[in-house]
């Protein structure tokens, strides 16, 4: 529709709308000029692994050796490698829903069976550790945790994370902790899981990367910190699948990790302000309720009150119809909750300019007001 010249506003993006910081881009250019354009070690360059481990130790007091770090093509690829390394055919992996779109598909690709642990809006989408325990079976191999959370914006309380980690560890269930939004936690500092429960270090893979914190989604730079035997297996899988992640991106990521961090702080501050803006604007929307997100850059409204109503004669049967109608009629793109195993909800990204947030919110309210 955009290509047809229509004034579509997209609040569907899962990526920062800021440019990658100048100093990072410069290092990439330097890498090209210096002909750093060939294969690197398959699991990433030692210098970058060291930089990631050093930063982690400085910030969180937990030491990882170089053989406990892997660099992959985005956090997504880290999770993929881990699931392929961990899962045998029929192994179960617990996924907390609503959930980011790729977990379920990746588990299935790895031959595993996703087992859902539901969370409820009434409980701020925080998982109940007892429910996690109930879902663990002799076949459970791993659990994927994600905090700050996509799509709900939940940030799991420390005591909940510790409880889940204790339960999983005591039952031999490995934890994949997806912390890709860790720099975007607005009300309290987001702490890596391994810092909360260092005694479980050998049972945890910390997943992170450059995409969200440094506005580097296109560079495909993710990393994992975990036990050496798992990292080794992940490296072998990666070696056969993609070989090394992009050499130039690795030099850029090195600058991201080692260089000044002011732009990370500045982007997080701006996202926090946009959170306030979108919450205050959409508070007035009819047929829509939401929890104020604590992290990431998504609002996850419940739109069940709009279902069964009609827009220009078409019944809004579900979140998919609502998303389609909103795009067709008001030119605002959002993501239906069904994509996250959460029908009855929609995900609105506030990784967009304030001007777009204001205009899109106006259109969303108009759309909902016109329902009969
Ligand atoms: C929860 C979550 N994990 C992982 C990723 C993947 O990040 P990357 O771009 O580093 O692969 C995303 C991207 O949207 C995400 O939302």
């Amino acid at each position: 529709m955009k290509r047809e010249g229509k004034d579509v506003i997209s609040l569907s993006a899962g990526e920062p709308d800021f440019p990658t910081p100048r100093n990072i881009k410069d290092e990439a250019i330097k890498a090209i000029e210096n002909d750093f354009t060939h294969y690197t070690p398959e699991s990433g360059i030692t210098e970058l692994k060291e930089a990631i481990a050093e930063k982690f130790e400085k910030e969180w007091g937990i030491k990882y050796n170089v053989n406990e770090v892997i660099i992959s093509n985005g956090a997504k690829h880290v999770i993929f490698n881990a699931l392929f390394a961990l899962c045998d055919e029929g192994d179960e992996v617990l996924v907390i829903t609503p959930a980011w779109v790729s977990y379920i598909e990746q588990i299935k690709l790895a031959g595993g069976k996703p087992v859902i642990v539901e969370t409820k809006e009434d409980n701020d989408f925080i998982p109940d550790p007892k429910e996690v325990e109930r879902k663990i079976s002799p076949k459970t191999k791993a659990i994927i945790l994600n905090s700050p959370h996509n799509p709900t914006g939940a940030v799991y309380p420390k005591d909940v994370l510790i409880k889940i980690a204790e339960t999983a560890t005591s039952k031999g269930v490995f934890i994949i902790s997806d912390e890709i939004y860790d720099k975007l936690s607005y009300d309290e500092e987001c702490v890596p899981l391994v810092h909360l429960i260092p005694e479980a270090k050998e049972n945890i893979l910390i997943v992170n990367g450059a995409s969200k914190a440094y506005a580097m989604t296109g560079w495909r730079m993710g990393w994992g910190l975990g036990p050496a035997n798992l990292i080794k297996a992940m490296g072998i899988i990666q070696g056969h699948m993609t070989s090394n992640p992009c050499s130039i991106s690795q030099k850029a990521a090195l600058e991201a990790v080692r260089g000044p961090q002011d732009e990370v702080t500045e982007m997080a501050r701006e996202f926090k302000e946009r959170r306030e803006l979108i919450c205050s604007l959409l508070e007035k929307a009819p047929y829509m309720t939401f929890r104020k997100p604590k992290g990431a850059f998504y609002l996850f409204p419940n739109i069940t009150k709009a279902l069964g109503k009609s827009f220009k004669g078409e019944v809004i049967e579900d979140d998919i119809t609502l998303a389609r109608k909103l795009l067709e009629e008001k030119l605002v793109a959002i993501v239906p909750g069904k994509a996250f195993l959460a029908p009855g909800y929609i995900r609105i990204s506030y990784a967009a300019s304030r001007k777009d947030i204001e205009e899109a919110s106006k259109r969303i309210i108009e759309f909902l007001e016109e329902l009969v």
Side-chain angles (χ1 to χ4, degrees), residues 18-201:
F18 303 108
T20 301
R22 184 72 257 169
N23 58 317
I24 298 174
K25 292 194 279 203
D26 285 344
E27 284 306 308
I29 293 165
K30 232 191 263 170
I32 297 173
E33 304 280 349
N34 291 340
D35 294 319
F36 193 74
T37 51
H38 298 100
Y39 289 137
T40 76
E42 288 168 342
S43 64
I45 54 174
T46 303
E47 212 183 349
L48 178 54
K49 291 181 188 176
E50 279 170 354
I52 290 163
E54 267 165 32
K55 186 163 186 278
F56 199 87
E57 188 176 5
K58 195 163 144 233
E59 288 177 355
W60 304 110
I62 312 262
K63 184 171 169 49
Y64 283 92
N65 296 315
V66 166
N67 63 349
E68 295 172 307
V69 183
I70 185 168
I71 317 294
S72 303
N73 299 280
K76 180 179 275 187
H77 190 205
V78 179
I79 300 166
F80 189 93
N81 285 330
L83 289 167
F84 265 69
L86 287 167
C87 287
D88 289 322
E89 203 66 31
D91 280 347
E92 295 178 357
V93 179
L94 303 192
V95 177
I96 293 170
T97 63
W100 176 55
V101 290
S102 290
Y103 297 143
I104 301 274
E105 300 310 319
Q106 289 197 353
I107 293 165
K108 289 197 222 154
L109 283 168
K113 183 175 162 232
V115 173
I116 303 301
V117 179
E118 256 183 76
T119 62
K120 295 266 179 273
E121 185 184 356
D122 294 348
N123 197 27
D124 291 331
F125 297 107
I126 304 297
D128 175 0
K130 288 206 191 80
E131 180 61 9
V132 172
E133 187 165 7
R134 272 193 290 276
K135 291 284 169 85
I136 293 177
S137 83
K139 286 192 158 182
T140 312
K141 192 50 86 57
I143 177 168
I144 304 179
L145 296 175
N146 170 220
S147 175
H149 190 263
N150 175 11
T152 65
V155 175
Y156 297 170
K158 293 179 183 140
D159 60 324
V160 169
L161 283 168
I162 292 171
K163 263 244 125 16
I164 294 174
E166 279 172 353
T167 304
T169 306
S170 74
K171 297 200 178 263
V173 173
F174 193 81
I175 305 161
I176 298 172
S177 185
D178 179 353
E179 304 179 2
I180 192 73
Y181 293 98
D182 69 336
K183 298 290 181 293
L184 302 175
S185 175
Y186 307 119
D187 301 328
E188 57 183 285
E189 189 179 36
C190 176
V191 177
L193 183 64
V194 70
H195 177 80
L196 293 175
I197 179 159
E199 63 275 22
K201 182 174 174 236

Side-chain angles (χ1 to χ4, degrees), residues 246-316:
C246 171
S247 59
I248 301 152
S249 295
Q250 290 189 71
K251 285 289 187 186
L254 185 61
E255 172 62 16
V257 174
R258 282 217 175 125
Q261 301 294 305
D262 351 328
E263 287 197 55
V264 178
T265 316
E266 182 47 36
M267 287 188 266
R269 195 197 52 73
E270 175 62 21
F271 279 130
K272 186 175 179 181
E273 287 190 16
R274 292 180 191 179
R275 171 186 73 156
E276 302 305 326
L277 176 66
I278 197 160
C279 287
S280 70
L281 291 168
L282 289 178
E283 230 169 46
K284 303 171 193 101
Y287 311 124
M288 184 192 262
T289 54
F290 56 84
R291 306 272 151 165
K292 188 173 183 179
K294 291 188 170 3
F297 35 63
Y298 309 108
L299 199 65
F300 200 59
N302 180 331
I303 48 89
T304 46
K305 288 196 183 126
L307 304 185
K309 302 206 170 285
S310 301
F311 192 96
K312 291 193 183 159
E314 183 174 347
V315 179
I316 306 294

